[in-house]
Amino acid sequence: CLNFAGCYGLSRNARRLIHTSDCKYVLLPGEEVPAHFPHQAASGSLTINLTPRPLPSSLRFKACILLSKFRDDILLMGGVSCHVMGKHNGFTVQYGSNQHHMPCKYKGYADHLYIFEDSFCLNQDCPEAEEATFSELSFVFRLHDEDVKIKGCGVQLLEVPNCVTDE
């Protein structure tokens, strides 16, 4: 876990290293979702259209949410939930929902980035998964703190290639 909340003097190289680090989560100041998250939206949800393909057994991804707060000196203990849905064979399926905690306190009104990695099993409740066609993924991020809002989000798929477009 890397907590750089309130560390406004980080160099560009330090930020790049932190953004791409392999850890449970990262929190650091930032005004925009980094470019290496190819799927981005200016809200707390996004949809990725994929080239139709067989449904994989699992999905690994890295997510980034841009946090904006309304008051000074916030303790982020509630965290964020990540809901992943997908379309296969024309039907929308809820693949999973995970909680990610942000146990930290930071001062100031500056925007911050929260970056984390997650994974879901996609075909565990689908006995006909070998015949399923997988064509879309939707991500919805929700905060459990009313003093903070999500200004944007980004996703980097780590094990599902053949992305076509974003919505």
Side-chain angles (χ1 to χ4, degrees):
C1 301
L2 299 175
N3 183 352
F4 291 96
C7 295
Y8 303 106
L10 295 170
S11 71
R12 183 182 315 216
N13 288 338
R15 286 180 179 280
R16 190 174 311 126
L17 182 62
I18 293 166
H19 290 168
T20 59
S21 66
D22 186 23
C23 57
K24 185 176 179 180
Y25 73 81
V26 175
L27 183 69
L28 75 159
E31 296 178 359
E32 61 185 35
V33 175
H36 69 273
F37 289 92
H39 310 286
Q40 296 190 19
S43 67
S45 64
L46 64 86
T47 298
I48 302 169
N49 290 311
L50 303 166
T51 302
R53 56 184 296 114
L55 182 67
S57 60
S58 65
L59 166 71
R60 271 188 55 236
F61 63 93
K62 200 166 196 176
C64 176
I65 56 174
L66 177 57
L67 305 170
S68 179
K69 62 183 187 163
F70 302 110
R71 64 180 180 88
D72 198 13
D73 196 22
I74 298 230
L75 181 62
L76 291 172
M77 291 299 289
V80 62
S81 60
C82 173
H83 304 274
V84 178
M85 293 157 287
K87 276 197 179 170
H88 66 78
N89 292 357
F91 296 99
T92 300
V93 177
Q94 173 83 27
Y95 291 132
S97 176
N98 286 340
Q99 281 286 120
H100 297 274
H101 297 285
M102 296 184 284
C104 63
K105 183 176 185 175
Y106 69 97
K107 288 184 170 277
Y109 290 96
D111 294 344
H112 276 64
L113 299 172
Y114 179 70
I115 301 170
F116 62 94
E117 191 172 311
D118 206 344
S119 63
F120 290 98
C121 288
L122 299 181
N123 63 10
Q124 66 184 10
D125 297 324
C126 183
E128 64 281 352
E130 292 177 12
E131 303 163 10
T133 300
F134 178 61
S135 62
E136 184 178 283
L137 281 172
S138 295
F139 296 82
V140 178
F141 303 99
R142 291 192 179 99
L143 293 176
H144 305 283
D145 187 329
E146 294 179 9
D147 293 317
V148 182
K149 75 172 194 166
I150 297 176
K151 282 177 74 172
C153 65
V155 171
Q156 177 185 32
L157 299 176
L158 301 177
E159 291 183 3
V160 180
N162 298 331
C163 299
V164 178
T165 60
D166 293 346
E167 288 181 3

